[in-house]
Amino acid sequence: MSVVSLYKSKIANFTVPEKASFRQKMETTIDLEAEKKEILKAYRHLLRNTKRYQAKGDLQLIRKAFDLALEAHKDMRRKSGEPYIYHPLAVAEIVTAEIGLGAKSIVCALLHDVVEDTHITLEDIRSMFGDKVATIIDGLTKISGVFDHTSATTSIQAENFRKMLLTLSSDVRVILIKLADRLHNMRTLDSMARDKQLKIASETLYLYAPLAHRLGLYAIKTEMEDLSLKYTEPEVYESISNKLVETQRQRQRFINKFSFPIMNSLNEAGLDFDIKGRTKSIYSIYKKMKKQEVPFEEVYDLFAIRIILNSTSENEKSDCWRTYSIVSDHYVPNTERMRDWISTPKSNGYESLHTTVMSGTGQWVEVQIRTKRMDDIAEKGLAAHWKYKESSGENVLEEWIAKIREVLENPDPNALDFIDDFKLNLFAEEIFVFTPKGELKTLPVGATSLDFAFEVHSEVGMKCIGAKINNKLMPLSYKLKSGDQIEVLTSSKQYPKEDWLNFVVTGKAKSKIKQALKDEKRQLAEEGKEILERKFRNLKVKPDNNTINRLVKYYKMMSPLDFYYRIANKNIDLHDLKEALEDPDKKGFFGYLKRFIPGSKEKEEKPQQIENLVADLNGKPAQLLIGDNLEKLDYTLSKCCNPIPGDDVFGFITINEGIKIHRVSCPNAIQLMGKHAYRVIKAKWTSKESIAFLAGLKITGIDEVGIVNNITKIISSELHVNMRSISFEEHDGTFDGTIMVYVHDTQHLNSLVNNLKKVNGVHTVTRMDSN
């Protein structure tokens, strides 16, 4: 009997409610069966991708991990509604197929969430899979516990990121699996709420994409950046994506015509090669548009030509240079844009020859020349180094990991400071300098004599008083250039100074200087503590930790250490100590936040708002609803991006200035949401009344007679927009102008921008981030 016949005979004698109930049960059973089939299908696909990495016993180990993960997550579902097991399976797929790791990494990817989200403990993992797997899983498990989310020095993201990096000492695979985990989360971000999308995307762009870049994982870094832009600036992402599709055929025709003569010459030279055009990522195009302040149509280097050679290891360099010679025979190279990363690879192991040549149509084209081995390393980074053991890139990666370990060795590093120091060199371009004995050192662009001294040794940096650059005496702040030879000068009487932090750029130098200054600060803080204790004795007060914390809030200090330090430096007058002990919440961050609580007395002390100043002349301000429950709270508009009604915005809880409103596209948004997501709150405009908001416009164009008059006529006469200021500068036939105007909302501003673009001689009109 068929399934349909069985189904019909089963419900023939049922009542209508019974039939409906039975159908629902059948549909649920069918759905669960379909899900099981899909899960097994995904698992088998994973196994097919692991075949090249399998050793004896690997399949059994992977199956054991899969069965445990499936059982542990059986009652869990993702925000999208799909079974949770799809996520660890997808992470394992990325780990093996896109990064190229082996069986142990696949096991860890399958189990990466079981300790954090289920009843399985780390000891269970250790007993079933061994110490190595347990160590990796521990590195991937987020820190739990109570954090003071009001503290400016505490960030749960920073602490978790630092914990993950601590495992570098034992196993770098923790970071690779974490990157795979983050990549899959970004790929499935559609099902999350808008505020969550912004926080996760910003954190990815701030921390994880630079880390992928530093490990040489170009494909993963690029996808993370593109997906981050998709959620932080969806309209911009969609616009660039559509324009790339529209211009695809035109680009391909150009690439074919450009490549044809090169291909013929390479064939004649007997070289085995593959040549292709690579369109640049949406995010990199967006960055060029922002940096150059041009529209998509005026970004000319949308793609690069890549020539990949199948060369033996002994002929790699010579084949690359022969290819460069052939390319430059056909097209004139720009010598200033030649990059040789074959003789001196980047510190993430990247090797390639880059040159920019002038095409026959008058367009500059970037050409990248590399071997198959170099291309594998460029795409898969760290994992590919294990494939090519003889690669020189492995050594530079080991050196980088050693530097990170050194930063992590500080006895009491602040997590947020650590993230800042760690990020410093992730994306930095590099220079190559030499010691007096000719030893090569790699430093980021902008590095100073003092950075070099710390690179030689921490103690050398601490005692550095200057340097001889190419036998000429130079100060600590001198910026080094590639090829410089440096001799460090030291003195036993020298000690680190706070202004050193203004010009050093390497993470190592910054962290060592900060640690030395903290040690000095602790010594002074001890003196301040003794002064405070004498005051307590005079007042006959027996202090405890609670008393100290109340005083820290009263005097608006960041920590007890800062409090004691300021007392020692006589920056805090303790004459009102008695009052502070009696009324601890009168000042400080918590006292300020009390003004936001309905019914609180402190609510009467409202701060002066920026928009209220404008409203005195223009009427009632537009309303913002803030927080998860979207209530009307006091706020100020951030001056770094000047949001106006209609902008996509978020609120940020500051330490001393309450809630500040930023645009999602604010230059500081990525850093704020990436480092301090716990202080970011929802914000939404609810009305667009007659208030005028200040906005800045930058205008460029050809300096024609009457151009300024035509621009002001559009603004004042036709659109009736009030101007606060206007300034123009002429440069040999062109002009740059800045106009500050009062507008009601984004629609009003966009209308003004579109009308100004129609003025003869105007080239670009762009909104400024700050006034």
Side-chain angles (χ1 to χ4, degrees), residues 611 620-624 635 637 642-649 661 663 684-695 743-750 767:
E611 67 273 25
K620 291 170 65 179
Q623 291 184 1
L624 264 176
Y635 62 89
L637 300 178
N642 293 302
I644 62 177
D647 283 333
D648 199 0
V649 293
I661 303 299
R663 283 158 55 193
K684 183 181 179 182
W685 298 102
T686 60
S687 64
K688 302 172 187 176
E689 301 187 28
S690 59
I691 179 174
F693 288 81
L694 192 63
V743 293
H744 302 311
D745 52 35
T746 50
Q747 189 175 351
H748 193 193
L749 182 63
N750 290 337
R767 182 177 174 184

Side-chain angles (χ1 to χ4, degrees), residues 347-406:
S347 51
N348 63 4
Y350 182 86
E351 296 174 82
S352 188
L353 272 182
H354 287 201
T355 184
T356 302
V357 298
M358 179 61 74
S359 69
T361 58
Q363 182 176 336
W364 289 110
V365 178
E366 183 183 4
V367 180
Q368 302 170 356
I369 303 165
R370 60 179 71 153
T371 64
K372 182 69 173 67
R373 177 190 67 81
M374 295 173 188
D375 192 56
D376 278 353
I377 289 170
E379 292 299 318
K380 290 191 175 177
L382 182 67
H385 288 294
W386 300 334
K387 181 178 173 184
Y388 302 101
K389 289 296 184 184
E390 74 282 359
S391 168
S392 60
E394 190 172 348
N395 295 328
V396 290
L397 275 161
E398 283 300 321
E399 288 171 14
W400 176 72
I401 290 170
K403 287 178 187 177
I404 297 302
R405 286 184 187 131
E406 193 170 355

